[in-house]
Amino acid sequence: MTNPLGRAAGVVLLLLGLITILGLQPAHGQCAPGDEKKATEKSDPDQSRTRLYKGESIFTLQLLDAINTATPNENLFFSPYSLYNVLLMMYFGAQNSTEKLLRTGLNLQWSDSKTTVHEAYDTARKSLQGRFSESNAVGFSSVDKLFFGQRIPISTCMQQKFADTIEQLDYESQPEEQRVYINRWVEAATRGQIKDLLVPGAITRNTKLAIANAAYFKGTWQTKFKAAETKKEIFYISADRQAFVDMMHVEGTFSHAANEKLSCHILELPYSTGAEDDDSQRSDNPNQVSMFVFLPPAEPNALSKLLARLAADTNILHEVVNDGISRKVDVKLPKFNIEKTVEMKPVLERLGMGALFENTANFDSFTDGQEQIGFDEVLQKSKIEVNEEGSVAASATVAFSFRSSRPVDPAMFHCNHPFVFIIYDYGTRSVLFNGVYRQPE
């Protein structure tokens, strides 16, 4: 029986273990250097939030290219939004060179005050919570959690800023029970989509902190594919490899663009907002979420070139969501499920953030320097189901031939060879999930 909705879910879990056992260290100042400067300088919350979104969009496309480079022959699906939130939590706990590394890696150079960044983060988080509910046609949730060990002396500043995010667990005497507890939290936060994120042995008696973000999305297409028209068709994996897929079909009015910078065609498939859906007001609706599909030419290396071009242009997302032309389009898209676990440590190393996992990394703001904390791994597990009705996605992160001329209507947008897709939220100007579909699984 067909699931009434497609689903997407993801969890980023950042596992922090004690890398080296050291004696207690003296406190190293405030947990948010720059607070004293912030007290005398006013910041514009809306401007700060816009800058945070901008930095996240740049990180998103660089991450996509890095993950593709690490796994060049696989289907991909992950949540840059989820990972970015986990890394932000790391940033709030970092000091000195580690703080600077994360500020650069997360594109936070617009402020040297953690308080300003935290205000932008907190405003965005509360705005998101107020936009979606279980009864909405489109639903998205993102939850952060700091699972500290029971005996960890959490800094006063962290307790004040993250009171509703912190939970303390007994890793020392019950590591396996706490692993199961975190897995159950992840499963509940992703509406049952992400299960058994942490394998036995992932949590030990030496674990000091696990930072988690769980993100969940559900959406019904504004223009649904017709189930009766789904049929087996050939998908061209490469020049010499083909496979049959369940190809969905619909003809309707969609936003379509032929982007010369990216050398690909782009189609927007909006999810229903539950109200009177109006294509012309799509980008003005703060609750609008859409899937954008990037279809490169069916030629060797076209997909890798597309991903490299996406990563190289920091303004391309803004261009993509605004440049489409509403027109009649004949759409074919494979019906698919992808479930992936990605070890983010080597990916972050590719992005120049490998020092986060070294013994010299400084996360003293979590404990005012009274307990050294080090990061071992960032693990993300994500899952998406796309069918005729829509999509459901979830993610959990734990540490951690092209022609630009306009064709005759209806335009043909047939995804019968590898393509890139993103789930984009207009309200936060964020890519919630993205992926690469190379072949049926």
Side-chain angles (χ1 to χ4, degrees):
M1 181 173 163
T2 302
N3 192 317
L5 289 173
R7 302 181 187 278
V11 184
V12 178
L13 181 60
L14 182 56
L15 298 179
L16 291 81
L18 189 63
I19 294 176
T20 54
I21 301 175
L22 299 178
L24 298 184
Q25 300 177 13
H28 288 274
Q30 303 177 34
C31 81
D35 276 4
E36 69 287 347
K37 181 179 178 181
K38 180 70 171 55
T40 58
E41 293 184 8
K42 292 185 178 180
S43 62
D44 183 337
D46 290 336
Q47 185 182 57
S48 295
R49 186 167 52 165
T50 297
R51 287 171 172 171
L52 185 67
Y53 292 154
K54 174 66 174 178
E56 184 182 337
S57 71
I58 295 171
F59 173 81
T60 291
L61 297 177
Q62 292 171 339
L63 180 66
L64 177 58
D65 187 45
I67 292 180
N68 177 68
T69 302
T71 54
N73 300 311
E74 301 176 13
N75 288 338
L76 300 178
F77 185 67
F78 61 96
S79 174
Y81 184 93
S82 187
L83 178 60
Y84 193 84
N85 271 269
V86 163
L87 294 175
L88 266 179
M89 303 295 279
M90 290 175 68
Y91 168 73
F92 295 134
Q95 289 187 5
N96 301 331
S97 61
T98 305
E99 178 186 335
K100 292 177 182 177
L101 177 66
L102 281 162
R103 183 182 297 133
T104 301
L106 299 178
N107 305 291
L108 301 173
Q109 298 94 329
W110 48 271
S111 177
D112 59 0
S113 166
K114 280 187 182 176
T115 297
T116 300
V117 176
H118 179 265
E119 286 176 354
Y121 156 82
D122 199 47
T123 301
R125 182 173 64 94
K126 290 175 180 176
S127 172
L128 187 69
Q129 291 172 346
R131 286 174 51 209
F132 299 109
S133 69
E134 284 296 317
S135 60
N136 288 4
V138 173
F140 177 68
S141 65
S142 174
V143 188
D144 295 318
K145 203 74 171 178
L146 291 163
F147 291 109
F148 281 95
Q150 255 183 2
R151 297 178 181 275
I152 300 301
I154 306 168
S155 73
T156 301
C157 181
M158 294 299 293
Q159 292 184 54
Q160 290 173 346
K161 291 185 181 297
F162 299 100
D164 61 346
T165 303
I166 291 173
E167 186 169 349
Q168 292 192 273
L169 303 179
D170 185 4
Y171 295 128
E172 286 191 21
S173 62
Q174 296 181 316
E176 178 61 14
E177 288 83 350
Q178 306 316 316
R179 178 190 71 85
V180 172
Y181 179 85
I182 293 173
N183 279 350
R184 286 177 178 167
W185 177 86
V186 165
E187 185 174 344
T190 60
R191 314 302 194 270
Q193 291 299 302
I194 303 296
K195 300 178 180 180
D196 302 322
L197 175 65
L198 295 175
V199 299
I203 296 293
T204 73
R205 287 180 168 79
N206 289 328
T207 298
K208 304 299 177 184
L209 168 63
I211 303 180
N213 169 276
Y216 170 83
F217 169 79
K218 68 171 184 178
T220 302
W221 301 123
Q222 190 178 106
T223 302
K224 295 179 182 179
F225 291 85
K226 299 176 181 178
E229 296 184 16
T230 298
K231 60 182 181 178
K232 295 289 184 183
E233 291 192 14
I234 294 176
F235 187 87
Y236 298 90
I237 300 168
S238 63
D240 56 358
R241 288 183 62 206
Q242 299 91 38
F244 281 102
V245 297
D246 289 323
M247 190 70 78
M248 303 186 298
H249 175 257
V250 69
E251 184 175 309
T253 301
F254 299 97
S255 178
H256 172 268
N259 191 293
E260 294 190 17
K261 282 185 183 179
L262 298 175
S263 295
C264 74
H265 285 269
I266 303 169
L267 185 74
E268 179 178 3
L269 297 171
Y271 295 100
S272 172
T273 60
E276 293 185 7
D277 293 316
D278 180 355
D279 285 346
S280 65
Q281 299 300 316
R282 183 180 56 256
S283 62
D284 296 327
N285 185 345
N287 290 328
Q288 182 62 56
V289 180
S290 293
M291 177 182 286
F292 285 85
V293 182
F294 300 73
L295 188 64
E299 58 188 38
N301 301 317
L303 195 66
S304 295
K305 289 177 181 177
L306 167 59
L307 293 169
R309 293 185 185 110
L310 280 167
D313 190 336
T314 58
N315 293 308
I316 197 66
L317 272 184
H318 176 76
E319 182 179 312
V320 164
V321 300
N322 288 289
D323 278 7
I325 298 172
S326 184
R327 59 180 308 178
K328 188 80 85 176
V329 185
D330 186 89
V331 182
K332 288 187 177 181
L333 182 72
K335 185 175 179 177
F336 63 88
N337 293 276
I338 301 175
E339 184 169 355
K340 290 292 177 185
T341 299
V342 180
E343 292 183 356
M344 289 292 181
K345 182 177 177 180
V347 175
L348 292 172
E349 287 172 347
R350 288 178 182 273
L351 294 175
M353 289 188 272
L356 296 176
F357 305 97
E358 296 176 358
N359 291 356
T360 53
N362 185 335
F363 294 99
D364 283 349
S365 287
F366 283 119
T367 63
D368 279 340
Q370 296 181 63
E371 186 91 39
Q372 182 175 359
I373 289 178
F375 291 83
D376 295 323
E377 179 59 272
V378 179
L379 181 70
Q380 183 175 97
K381 186 174 184 178
S382 304
K383 177 182 178 181
I384 186 169
E385 176 186 345
V386 173
N387 60 32
E388 293 89 350
E389 296 289 322
S391 305
V392 179
S395 182
T397 307
V398 202
F400 134 85
S401 81
F402 180 72
R403 292 181 297 174
S404 60
S405 58
R406 178 168 174 151
V408 177
D409 284 341
M412 301 294 179
F413 195 92
H414 293 176
C415 299
N416 61 0
H417 57 277
F419 58 89
V420 176
F421 63 94
I422 67 173
I423 296 178
Y424 180 85
D425 175 37
Y426 280 91
T428 60
R429 297 186 286 277
S430 299
V431 175
L432 306 180
F433 300 90
N434 57 12
V436 177
Y437 184 84
R438 287 190 172 87
Q439 58 196 328
E441 296 185 344

